[in-house]
């Protein structure tokens, strides 16, 4: 079991399986060559208008973004990089849209993480909170009893004359209070919600709430994960609000007395003196239907849950290539269905980011590796069945080509606004330090 003192600085994010990724990547290279020679028995490709809008060209200005960007109310894109900056601890950046058609996005560095009492290595996307402030978390730094620091929650508050004021609003200063913050943040009624992938009373991670108290902020643990059949372990996904006002998320492990392959959970906030209450909606097993979910889930207006697993399913990968799943409630029972299994070839493998709906009920996402051009990943769309009982149809919108002209290894999810999508790639671009892209189907 992973303890709260584990640090991922300078290596793979906590929970990665590097050997499995290398083996699948090698397989994907061969598969990509074959894909150029052999016909593909899959849904047709559908081109998207794809554009690399920013390349990270030097470490000082940030490198290797691993989470989604957010489009704030001011029309700007904001994001974080896990590495880079003066000390290599990561950055917060802004991209201003072009003033003319096909013009350049303007990049501004908003904060460089300094380590120590400041955070290091942000592994969550930003969220727009009260007063137009941007909130995020760091996996480490901030001090505390964990190796390298237990992590922080930070705020970028807008200034009247333009720009932002950065400050750390909460530090995970003890392992029992949670450690290793990561995943998506959620906002409601002026409060911020998120997860830590480790720490807490049972060392299995936490769900936390941050609320304003006077001129400061106070953090409360809503749930501490303990594992076993009735609880998950190691939530890396963060949380999202469903239409019922509850929080939903995933855990990478748990759901079984022998450790488990992960869960989907629902956390009902306190109401009428009752709660908060956490319920396991689904337990993953090593049965071909996906394992180890690490991405946030997505819910439709009816409360149906959609998500991805980076492993399990079918395909040519050593740990299998991942899935897209659907959880629907009927008669008080949640039923899981796999709506897509990645092949580790032209369709991609190892999806790590959240899915996004468009107005027509189609799902969009990324696979972090494989694809027809080798091992650089794909941008895909899943079209819902035309009739009841039918299958979802996968369509490849873009196959990442890698450096120097394209991104590679999209880890984060997508952000949608209107008919456009934005995302990041951890690697690729001219210097191999990652990119930000836009796509219009």
């Amino acid at each position: 079991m992973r303890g709260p003192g584990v640090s991922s600085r300078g290596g793979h994010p906590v929970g990665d399986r590097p050997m499995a990724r290398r083996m699948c990547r090698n397989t994907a290279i061969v598969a990509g060559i074959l894909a150029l020679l052999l016909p593909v028995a899959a849904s047709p490709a559908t081109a998207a208008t794809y554009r690399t809008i920013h390349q990270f060209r030097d470490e000082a200005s940030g490198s290797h973004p691993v989470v989604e960007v957010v489009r704030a109310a001011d029309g700007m894109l904001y994001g974080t990089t896990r590495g880079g900056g003066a000390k290599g601890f990561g950055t917060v950046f802004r991209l201003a849209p072009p003033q003319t058609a096909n013009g350049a996005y303007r990049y501004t560095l908003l904060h460089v993480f300094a380590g120590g009492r400041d955070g290091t290595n942000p592994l969550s996307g930003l969220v727009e909170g009260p007063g137009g402030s941007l909130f995020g978390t760091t996996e480490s730094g901030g001090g505390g009893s964990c190796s390298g620091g237990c992590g922080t929650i930070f705020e970028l508050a807008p200034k009247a004359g333009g720009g932002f004021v950065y400050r750390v609003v909460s530090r995970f200063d003890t392992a029992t209070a949670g450690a290793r913050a990561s995943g998506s943040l959620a906002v409601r009624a002026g409060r911020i919600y998120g997860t830590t992938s480790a720490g807490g009373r049972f060392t299995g991670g936490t769900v936390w709430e941050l609320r304003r108290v006077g001129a400061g902020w106070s953090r409360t643990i809503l749930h501490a994960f303990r594992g076993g059949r009735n609880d998950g372990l190691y939530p890396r996904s963060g949380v999202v609000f469903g239409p019922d006002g509850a929080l939903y998320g995933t855990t990478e492990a748990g759901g079984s007395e022998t450790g488990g392959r992960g869960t989907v959970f629902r956390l009902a906030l306190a109401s009428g003196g009752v709660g908060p209450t956490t319920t396991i909606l689904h337990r993953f097993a090593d049965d071909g239907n996906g394992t180890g979910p690490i991405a946030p889930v997505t819910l439709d207006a009816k409360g149906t849950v959609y998500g991805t697993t980076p492993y399990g399913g079918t395909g040519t990968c050593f740990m299998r290539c991942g899935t897209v799943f659907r959880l629907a409630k009927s008669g008080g029972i949640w039923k899981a269905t796999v709506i897509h299994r990645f092949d580790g070839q032209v369709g991609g493998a190892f999806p790590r980011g959240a899915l996004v709906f468009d107005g027509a009920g189609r799902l969009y996402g990324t696979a972090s590796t494989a694809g027809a051009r080798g091992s650089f990943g794909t941008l895909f769309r899943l079209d819902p069945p035309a009739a009841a009982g039918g299958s979802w149809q996968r369509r490849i919108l873009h196959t990442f080509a890698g450096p120097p002209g394209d991104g590679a290894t999209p880890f984060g999810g997508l952000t949608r606004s209107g008919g456009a999508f934005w995302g990041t790639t951890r690697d690729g671009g001219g210097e191999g330090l990652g990119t930000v892209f836009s796509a219009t189907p």
Side-chain angles (χ1 to χ4, degrees):
M1 293 175 61
R2 184 174 67 240
V6 175
S7 173
S8 65
R9 285 167 49 185
H12 293 266
V14 174
D16 254 3
R17 296 173 173 87
M19 182 179 72
R21 291 186 59 79
R22 286 195 299 269
M23 294 184 71
C24 190
R25 183 167 293 173
N26 292 339
T27 305
I29 293 173
V30 177
I33 296 171
L34 292 175
L36 300 177
L37 305 175
L38 300 174
V40 178
S43 301
T46 302
T49 301
Y50 175 91
R51 180 186 176 193
T52 299
I53 62 174
H54 181 72
Q55 297 188 34
F56 293 92
R57 297 188 179 277
D58 62 84
E59 290 281 353
S61 61
S63 64
H64 304 303
V66 295
V67 292
E68 68 278 4
V69 293
V70 61
R71 190 169 190 260
D74 62 5
M76 309 284 188
L77 296 175
Y78 295 87
T80 62
T81 65
R82 184 171 184 265
K87 296 187 177 181
F89 293 140
T91 68
V92 182
F93 65 87
R94 179 180 68 196
L95 282 169
Q99 301 298 308
T100 59
N102 298 319
Y105 281 72
R106 301 187 310 279
Y107 180 87
T108 303
L109 197 60
L110 300 180
H111 181 69
V112 175
F113 291 98
R117 294 288 286 170
D118 194 9
T120 63
N121 306 127
L123 288 183
S124 73
L126 300 173
V127 66
E128 191 169 14
S133 287
L134 297 169
F135 292 83
T137 65
T138 63
E139 179 199 28
S140 50
S145 60
C146 311
S147 172
C150 297
T152 70
I153 306 171
F154 63 86
E155 175 188 16
L156 285 164
K159 295 190 295 186
F164 292 87
V165 175
Y166 171 89
R167 65 171 178 156
V168 174
V169 297
S170 184
R171 292 178 173 88
F172 297 94
D173 51 3
T174 65
T176 55
R180 309 301 183 222
S182 63
S184 293
L185 303 178
V187 179
R188 180 157 296 185
R191 299 185 179 189
I192 317 296
Y193 299 85
T195 61
T196 66
S197 63
R201 181 181 176 188
F202 308 107
T203 73
T206 68
V207 179
W208 51 264
E209 174 192 77
L210 186 74
R211 67 185 186 280
R212 185 174 287 281
V213 177
W217 294 84
S218 176
R219 177 169 43 85
T220 302
I221 294 180
L222 301 181
H223 182 73
F225 293 92
R226 64 189 307 166
R229 176 167 176 77
N230 295 320
D231 205 359
L233 285 171
Y234 315 136
R236 295 177 59 193
S237 65
V239 287
V240 299
F241 274 104
D244 59 354
L247 292 167
Y248 291 79
T250 65
T251 65
E252 186 180 14
S256 167
E257 297 298 340
T258 57
R261 300 291 186 171
T263 70
V264 181
F265 67 87
R266 174 183 183 270
L267 191 154
L269 299 177
S271 177
V274 178
T277 304
T278 302
T279 306
I280 299 300
L281 307 184
H282 179 65
R283 299 171 179 86
F284 292 92
D286 198 7
D287 57 2
N289 292 325
T291 61
I294 57 175
V297 294
T298 301
L299 287 86
D300 65 16
K302 297 180 179 179
T304 303
V305 180
Y306 296 83
T308 63
T309 68
Y311 307 105
T314 56
T316 57
C317 312
F318 175 66
M319 299 290 292
R320 303 308 180 196
C321 302
T323 70
V324 178
F325 64 86
R326 176 180 185 268
L327 276 174
K329 190 175 183 180
S330 177
I333 299 174
W334 290 87
K335 180 181 179 181
T337 306
V338 175
I339 63 174
H340 181 66
R341 291 178 173 88
F342 291 87
D343 57 14
Q345 300 180 31
V346 295
F350 298 144
R352 302 177 60 95
L355 303 167
V356 178
F357 277 106
D358 69 6
R362 299 174 296 193
L363 284 168
Y364 296 77
T366 58
S368 66
T369 188
R373 294 178 175 178
S375 59
F376 301 121
T378 64
L379 170 65
F380 65 86
R381 187 180 84 199
L382 292 175
D383 295 348
S391 299
W392 290 70
Q393 297 297 310
R394 182 212 73 200
R395 300 179 186 275
I396 301 299
L397 303 181
H398 180 73
T399 298
F400 293 94
D406 197 5
T409 325
F411 269 22
L414 300 172
T415 294
R416 171 180 172 253
S417 180
F421 296 84
W422 292 270
T424 65
T425 65
R426 187 192 67 175
D427 306 313
E431 302 300 325
L433 302 178
T435 70
V436 183
F437 65 85
S438 66
T440 305

